[in-house]
PDB file of all heavy atoms in Angstrom:
ATOM      1  N   GLY A 242      10.186 -31.739 -89.604  1.00 93.00           N
ATOM      2  CA  GLY A 242       9.975 -33.073 -90.166  1.00 93.00           C
ATOM      3  C   GLY A 242      11.198 -33.572 -90.909  1.00 93.00           C
ATOM      4  O   GLY A 242      11.612 -34.725 -90.747  1.00 93.00           O
ATOM      5  N   SER A 245      13.768 -34.412 -88.408  1.00 96.00           N
ATOM      6  CA  SER A 245      13.382 -35.618 -87.674  1.00 96.00           C
ATOM      7  C   SER A 245      13.694 -36.878 -88.469  1.00 96.00           C
ATOM      8  O   SER A 245      14.166 -37.869 -87.913  1.00 96.00           O
ATOM      9  CB  SER A 245      11.894 -35.572 -87.318  1.00 96.00           C
ATOM     10  OG  SER A 245      11.638 -34.514 -86.430  1.00 96.00           O
ATOM     11  N   VAL A 246      13.456 -36.826 -89.770  1.00 97.00           N
ATOM     12  CA  VAL A 246      13.811 -37.968 -90.629  1.00 97.00           C
ATOM     13  C   VAL A 246      15.322 -38.187 -90.563  1.00 97.00           C
ATOM     14  O   VAL A 246      15.793 -39.324 -90.376  1.00 97.00           O
ATOM     15  CB  VAL A 246      13.351 -37.755 -92.084  1.00 97.00           C
ATOM     16  CG1 VAL A 246      13.883 -38.862 -92.987  1.00 97.00           C
ATOM     17  CG2 VAL A 246      11.833 -37.684 -92.169  1.00 97.00           C
ATOM     18  N   LEU A 249      16.336 -39.630 -87.114  1.00 98.00           N
ATOM     19  CA  LEU A 249      16.014 -41.058 -86.994  1.00 98.00           C
ATOM     20  C   LEU A 249      16.957 -41.907 -87.836  1.00 98.00           C
ATOM     21  O   LEU A 249      17.342 -43.008 -87.432  1.00 98.00           O
ATOM     22  CB  LEU A 249      14.563 -41.317 -87.392  1.00 98.00           C
ATOM     23  CG  LEU A 249      13.520 -40.823 -86.400  1.00 98.00           C
ATOM     24  CD1 LEU A 249      12.116 -40.965 -86.990  1.00 98.00           C
ATOM     25  CD2 LEU A 249      13.622 -41.554 -85.071  1.00 98.00           C
ATOM     26  N   GLU A 255      17.512 -45.773 -88.406  1.00 98.00           N
ATOM     27  CA  GLU A 255      16.313 -46.183 -89.147  1.00 98.00           C
ATOM     28  C   GLU A 255      16.510 -45.978 -90.648  1.00 98.00           C
ATOM     29  O   GLU A 255      17.081 -44.985 -91.067  1.00 98.00           O
ATOM     30  CB  GLU A 255      15.094 -45.374 -88.711  1.00 98.00           C
ATOM     31  CG  GLU A 255      14.516 -45.829 -87.408  1.00 98.00           C
ATOM     32  CD  GLU A 255      13.110 -45.271 -87.173  1.00 98.00           C
ATOM     33  OE1 GLU A 255      12.405 -44.942 -88.141  1.00 98.00           O
ATOM     34  OE2 GLU A 255      12.741 -45.187 -85.994  1.00 98.00           O
ATOM     35  N   PRO A 256      15.991 -46.890 -91.445  1.00 98.00           N
ATOM     36  CA  PRO A 256      16.020 -46.666 -92.887  1.00 98.00           C
ATOM     37  C   PRO A 256      15.135 -45.458 -93.237  1.00 98.00           C
ATOM     38  O   PRO A 256      14.143 -45.190 -92.555  1.00 98.00           O
ATOM     39  CB  PRO A 256      15.442 -47.951 -93.485  1.00 98.00           C
ATOM     40  CG  PRO A 256      15.147 -48.863 -92.356  1.00 98.00           C
ATOM     41  CD  PRO A 256      15.387 -48.156 -91.067  1.00 98.00           C
ATOM     42  N   ILE A 257      15.510 -44.772 -94.282  1.00 98.00           N
ATOM     43  CA  ILE A 257      14.780 -43.565 -94.684  1.00 98.00           C
ATOM     44  C   ILE A 257      13.302 -43.850 -94.905  1.00 98.00           C
ATOM     45  O   ILE A 257      12.444 -43.073 -94.472  1.00 98.00           O
ATOM     46  CB  ILE A 257      15.405 -42.943 -95.955  1.00 98.00           C
ATOM     47  CG1 ILE A 257      16.807 -42.409 -95.660  1.00 98.00           C
ATOM     48  CG2 ILE A 257      14.513 -41.860 -96.548  1.00 98.00           C
ATOM     49  CD1 ILE A 257      16.890 -41.214 -94.735  1.00 98.00           C
ATOM     50  N   ASP A 258      12.976 -44.955 -95.555  1.00 97.00           N
ATOM     51  CA  ASP A 258      11.559 -45.226 -95.845  1.00 97.00           C
ATOM     52  C   ASP A 258      10.726 -45.338 -94.572  1.00 97.00           C
ATOM     53  O   ASP A 258       9.551 -44.973 -94.560  1.00 97.00           O
ATOM     54  CB  ASP A 258      11.387 -46.453 -96.740  1.00 97.00           C
ATOM     55  CG  ASP A 258      11.898 -47.739 -96.126  1.00 97.00           C
ATOM     56  OD1 ASP A 258      12.812 -47.702 -95.278  1.00 97.00           O
ATOM     57  OD2 ASP A 258      11.385 -48.803 -96.516  1.00 97.00           O
ATOM     58  N   LYS A 259      11.320 -45.785 -93.484  1.00 98.00           N
ATOM     59  CA  LYS A 259      10.606 -45.861 -92.205  1.00 98.00           C
ATOM     60  C   LYS A 259      10.599 -44.498 -91.510  1.00 98.00           C
ATOM     61  O   LYS A 259       9.587 -44.075 -90.947  1.00 98.00           O
ATOM     62  CB  LYS A 259      11.247 -46.897 -91.276  1.00 98.00           C
ATOM     63  CG  LYS A 259      11.297 -48.287 -91.853  1.00 98.00           C
ATOM     64  CD  LYS A 259       9.936 -48.919 -91.923  1.00 98.00           C
ATOM     65  CE  LYS A 259      10.059 -50.351 -92.380  1.00 98.00           C
ATOM     66  NZ  LYS A 259       9.107 -50.705 -93.399  1.00 98.00           N
ATOM     67  N   ALA A 260      11.719 -43.808 -91.541  1.00 97.00           N
ATOM     68  CA  ALA A 260      11.834 -42.501 -90.879  1.00 97.00           C
ATOM     69  C   ALA A 260      10.942 -41.445 -91.527  1.00 97.00           C
ATOM     70  O   ALA A 260      10.558 -40.477 -90.874  1.00 97.00           O
ATOM     71  CB  ALA A 260      13.295 -42.041 -90.891  1.00 97.00           C
ATOM     72  N   MET A 261      10.570 -41.649 -92.780  1.00 96.00           N
ATOM     73  CA  MET A 261       9.731 -40.684 -93.482  1.00 96.00           C
ATOM     74  C   MET A 261       8.340 -40.538 -92.864  1.00 96.00           C
ATOM     75  O   MET A 261       7.606 -39.622 -93.224  1.00 96.00           O
ATOM     76  CB  MET A 261       9.609 -41.040 -94.965  1.00 96.00           C
ATOM     77  CG  MET A 261      10.821 -40.648 -95.771  1.00 96.00           C
ATOM     78  SD  MET A 261      10.638 -41.043 -97.524  1.00 96.00           S
ATOM     79  CE  MET A 261       9.327 -39.910 -97.997  1.00 96.00           C
ATOM     80  N   ARG A 262       8.009 -41.384 -91.904  1.00 96.00           N
ATOM     81  CA  ARG A 262       6.721 -41.235 -91.219  1.00 96.00           C
ATOM     82  C   ARG A 262       6.626 -39.877 -90.525  1.00 96.00           C
ATOM     83  O   ARG A 262       5.537 -39.397 -90.217  1.00 96.00           O
ATOM     84  CB  ARG A 262       6.507 -42.370 -90.224  1.00 96.00           C
ATOM     85  CG  ARG A 262       7.389 -42.310 -88.989  1.00 96.00           C
ATOM     86  CD  ARG A 262       7.176 -43.516 -88.079  1.00 96.00           C
ATOM     87  NE  ARG A 262       8.011 -43.474 -86.903  1.00 96.00           N
ATOM     88  CZ  ARG A 262       9.286 -43.837 -86.856  1.00 96.00           C
ATOM     89  NH1 ARG A 262       9.894 -44.281 -87.955  1.00 96.00           N
ATOM     90  NH2 ARG A 262       9.967 -43.765 -85.726  1.00 96.00           N
ATOM     91  N   MET A 263       7.766 -39.245 -90.284  1.00 94.00           N
ATOM     92  CA  MET A 263       7.782 -37.933 -89.643  1.00 94.00           C
ATOM     93  C   MET A 263       7.283 -36.834 -90.583  1.00 94.00           C
ATOM     94  O   MET A 263       6.961 -35.744 -90.137  1.00 94.00           O
ATOM     95  CB  MET A 263       9.188 -37.599 -89.145  1.00 94.00           C
ATOM     96  CG  MET A 263       9.758 -38.639 -88.191  1.00 94.00           C
ATOM     97  SD  MET A 263       8.655 -39.130 -86.828  1.00 94.00           S
ATOM     98  CE  MET A 263       8.596 -37.660 -85.869  1.00 94.00           C
ATOM     99  N   LEU A 264       7.239 -37.120 -91.866  1.00 93.00           N
ATOM    100  CA  LEU A 264       6.699 -36.179 -92.858  1.00 93.00           C
ATOM    101  C   LEU A 264       5.266 -36.605 -93.138  1.00 93.00           C
ATOM    102  O   LEU A 264       4.976 -37.254 -94.131  1.00 93.00           O
ATOM    103  CB  LEU A 264       7.541 -36.219 -94.140  1.00 93.00           C
ATOM    104  CG  LEU A 264       8.958 -35.693 -94.001  1.00 93.00           C
ATOM    105  CD1 LEU A 264       9.762 -36.017 -95.248  1.00 93.00           C
ATOM    106  CD2 LEU A 264       8.960 -34.202 -93.729  1.00 93.00           C
ATOM    107  N   SER A 265       4.389 -36.232 -92.263  1.00 88.00           N
ATOM    108  CA  SER A 265       3.026 -36.721 -92.317  1.00 88.00           C
ATOM    109  C   SER A 265       2.039 -35.611 -92.030  1.00 88.00           C
ATOM    110  O   SER A 265       2.337 -34.672 -91.283  1.00 88.00           O
ATOM    111  CB  SER A 265       2.882 -37.844 -91.277  1.00 88.00           C
ATOM    112  OG  SER A 265       1.552 -38.121 -90.985  1.00 88.00           O
ATOM    113  N   TYR A 268       1.485 -34.628 -88.518  1.00 81.00           N
ATOM    114  CA  TYR A 268       2.334 -33.614 -87.906  1.00 81.00           C
ATOM    115  C   TYR A 268       2.213 -32.261 -88.614  1.00 81.00           C
ATOM    116  O   TYR A 268       3.014 -31.362 -88.368  1.00 81.00           O
ATOM    117  CB  TYR A 268       3.797 -34.072 -87.904  1.00 81.00           C
ATOM    118  CG  TYR A 268       3.975 -35.385 -87.179  1.00 81.00           C
ATOM    119  CD1 TYR A 268       4.388 -36.519 -87.869  1.00 81.00           C
ATOM    120  CD2 TYR A 268       3.705 -35.496 -85.821  1.00 81.00           C
ATOM    121  CE1 TYR A 268       4.536 -37.729 -87.208  1.00 81.00           C
ATOM    122  CE2 TYR A 268       3.846 -36.701 -85.160  1.00 81.00           C
ATOM    123  CZ  TYR A 268       4.265 -37.815 -85.857  1.00 81.00           C
ATOM    124  OH  TYR A 268       4.403 -39.013 -85.203  1.00 81.00           O
ATOM    125  N   HIS A 270       2.441 -31.731 -91.937  1.00 80.00           N
ATOM    126  CA  HIS A 270       3.204 -31.658 -93.187  1.00 80.00           C
ATOM    127  C   HIS A 270       2.275 -31.952 -94.365  1.00 80.00           C
ATOM    128  O   HIS A 270       1.579 -32.969 -94.379  1.00 80.00           O
ATOM    129  CB  HIS A 270       4.359 -32.657 -93.169  1.00 80.00           C
ATOM    130  CG  HIS A 270       5.101 -32.735 -94.460  1.00 80.00           C
ATOM    131  ND1 HIS A 270       5.922 -31.709 -94.895  1.00 80.00           N
ATOM    132  CD2 HIS A 270       5.147 -33.695 -95.403  1.00 80.00           C
ATOM    133  CE1 HIS A 270       6.440 -32.054 -96.060  1.00 80.00           C
ATOM    134  NE2 HIS A 270       5.982 -33.255 -96.387  1.00 80.00           N
ATOM    135  N   ARG A 272       2.404 -32.671 -98.193  1.00 69.00           N
ATOM    136  CA  ARG A 272       3.306 -33.022 -99.282  1.00 69.00           C
ATOM    137  C   ARG A 272       2.816 -32.535-100.639  1.00 69.00           C
ATOM    138  O   ARG A 272       3.562 -32.524-101.603  1.00 69.00           O
ATOM    139  CB  ARG A 272       3.562 -34.515 -99.294  1.00 69.00           C
ATOM    140  CG  ARG A 272       2.360 -35.361 -99.690  1.00 69.00           C
ATOM    141  CD  ARG A 272       2.636 -36.848 -99.746  1.00 69.00           C
ATOM    142  NE  ARG A 272       3.545 -37.156-100.821  1.00 69.00           N
ATOM    143  CZ  ARG A 272       4.579 -37.992-100.728  1.00 69.00           C
ATOM    144  NH1 ARG A 272       4.836 -38.612 -99.601  1.00 69.00           N
ATOM    145  NH2 ARG A 272       5.350 -38.210-101.755  1.00 69.00           N
ATOM    146  N   ILE A 279      10.502 -31.854-100.002  1.00 93.00           N
ATOM    147  CA  ILE A 279      11.241 -32.650 -99.019  1.00 93.00           C
ATOM    148  C   ILE A 279      10.952 -34.138 -99.231  1.00 93.00           C
ATOM    149  O   ILE A 279      11.868 -34.962 -99.268  1.00 93.00           O
ATOM    150  CB  ILE A 279      10.887 -32.218 -97.581  1.00 93.00           C
ATOM    151  CG1 ILE A 279      11.272 -30.748 -97.347  1.00 93.00           C
ATOM    152  CG2 ILE A 279      11.547 -33.132 -96.556  1.00 93.00           C
ATOM    153  CD1 ILE A 279      10.711 -30.165 -96.068  1.00 93.00           C
ATOM    154  N   ASP A 280       9.687 -34.471 -99.412  1.00 92.00           N
ATOM    155  CA  ASP A 280       9.309 -35.869 -99.693  1.00 92.00           C
ATOM    156  C   ASP A 280       9.956 -36.334-100.994  1.00 92.00           C
ATOM    157  O   ASP A 280      10.446 -37.466-101.087  1.00 92.00           O
ATOM    158  CB  ASP A 280       7.792 -35.996 -99.823  1.00 92.00           C
ATOM    159  CG  ASP A 280       7.053 -35.491 -98.610  1.00 92.00           C
ATOM    160  OD1 ASP A 280       6.888 -34.252 -98.517  1.00 92.00           O
ATOM    161  OD2 ASP A 280       6.644 -36.297 -97.780  1.00 92.00           O
ATOM    162  N   HIS A 281       9.918 -35.459-101.993  1.00 94.00           N
ATOM    163  CA  HIS A 281      10.486 -35.784-103.305  1.00 94.00           C
ATOM    164  C   HIS A 281      11.981 -36.103-103.174  1.00 94.00           C
ATOM    165  O   HIS A 281      12.479 -37.039-103.809  1.00 94.00           O
ATOM    166  CB  HIS A 281      10.246 -34.624-104.271  1.00 94.00           C
ATOM    167  CG  HIS A 281      10.667 -34.882-105.670  1.00 94.00           C
ATOM    168  ND1 HIS A 281      10.220 -35.960-106.407  1.00 94.00           N
ATOM    169  CD2 HIS A 281      11.503 -34.199-106.481  1.00 94.00           C
ATOM    170  CE1 HIS A 281      10.771 -35.923-107.609  1.00 94.00           C
ATOM    171  NE2 HIS A 281      11.555 -34.860-107.670  1.00 94.00           N
ATOM    172  N   PHE A 282      12.679 -35.345-102.352  1.00 96.00           N
ATOM    173  CA  PHE A 282      14.098 -35.594-102.105  1.00 96.00           C
ATOM    174  C   PHE A 282      14.314 -37.014-101.587  1.00 96.00           C
ATOM    175  O   PHE A 282      15.133 -37.774-102.117  1.00 96.00           O
ATOM    176  CB  PHE A 282      14.630 -34.561-101.096  1.00 96.00           C
ATOM    177  CG  PHE A 282      15.926 -34.932-100.435  1.00 96.00           C
ATOM    178  CD1 PHE A 282      17.117 -34.900-101.139  1.00 96.00           C
ATOM    179  CD2 PHE A 282      15.955 -35.326 -99.100  1.00 96.00           C
ATOM    180  CE1 PHE A 282      18.316 -35.235-100.525  1.00 96.00           C
ATOM    181  CE2 PHE A 282      17.144 -35.658 -98.475  1.00 96.00           C
ATOM    182  CZ  PHE A 282      18.328 -35.621 -99.193  1.00 96.00           C
ATOM    183  N   PHE A 283      13.574 -37.386-100.548  1.00 97.00           N
ATOM    184  CA  PHE A 283      13.746 -38.719 -99.981  1.00 97.00           C
ATOM    185  C   PHE A 283      13.284 -39.812-100.946  1.00 97.00           C
ATOM    186  O   PHE A 283      13.896 -40.874-101.021  1.00 97.00           O
ATOM    187  CB  PHE A 283      13.025 -38.829 -98.633  1.00 97.00           C
ATOM    188  CG  PHE A 283      13.704 -38.081 -97.524  1.00 97.00           C
ATOM    189  CD1 PHE A 283      13.049 -37.055 -96.863  1.00 97.00           C
ATOM    190  CD2 PHE A 283      15.003 -38.396 -97.141  1.00 97.00           C
ATOM    191  CE1 PHE A 283      13.671 -36.362 -95.841  1.00 97.00           C
ATOM    192  CE2 PHE A 283      15.641 -37.700 -96.118  1.00 97.00           C
ATOM    193  CZ  PHE A 283      14.973 -36.680 -95.463  1.00 97.00           C
ATOM    194  N   GLU A 284      12.212 -39.573-101.683  1.00 95.00           N
ATOM    195  CA  GLU A 284      11.740 -40.555-102.661  1.00 95.00           C
ATOM    196  C   GLU A 284      12.770 -40.778-103.773  1.00 95.00           C
ATOM    197  O   GLU A 284      12.960 -41.914-104.228  1.00 95.00           O
ATOM    198  CB  GLU A 284      10.400 -40.107-103.236  1.00 95.00           C
ATOM    199  CG  GLU A 284       9.278 -40.221-102.213  1.00 95.00           C
ATOM    200  CD  GLU A 284       8.042 -39.412-102.558  1.00 95.00           C
ATOM    201  OE1 GLU A 284       8.058 -38.646-103.552  1.00 95.00           O
ATOM    202  OE2 GLU A 284       7.053 -39.524-101.796  1.00 95.00           O
ATOM    203  N   LEU A 287      15.434 -42.953-102.303  1.00 97.00           N
ATOM    204  CA  LEU A 287      14.988 -44.345-102.212  1.00 97.00           C
ATOM    205  C   LEU A 287      15.021 -45.024-103.572  1.00 97.00           C
ATOM    206  O   LEU A 287      15.439 -46.178-103.687  1.00 97.00           O
ATOM    207  CB  LEU A 287      13.587 -44.420-101.605  1.00 97.00           C
ATOM    208  CG  LEU A 287      13.488 -44.023-100.128  1.00 97.00           C
ATOM    209  CD1 LEU A 287      12.033 -43.936 -99.693  1.00 97.00           C
ATOM    210  CD2 LEU A 287      14.269 -44.980 -99.242  1.00 97.00           C
TER     211      LEU A 287
END
Side-chain angles (χ1 to χ4, degrees):
S245 295
V246 173
L249 288 172
E255 282 195 25
I257 293 292
D258 62 333
K259 302 289 185 226
M261 282 181 67
R262 71 183 180 279
M263 303 311 292
L264 293 170
S265 163
Y268 302 115
H270 174 71
R272 69 178 293 136
I279 298 168
D280 304 80
H281 185 55
F282 162 72
F283 287 119
E284 289 162 354
L287 292 172

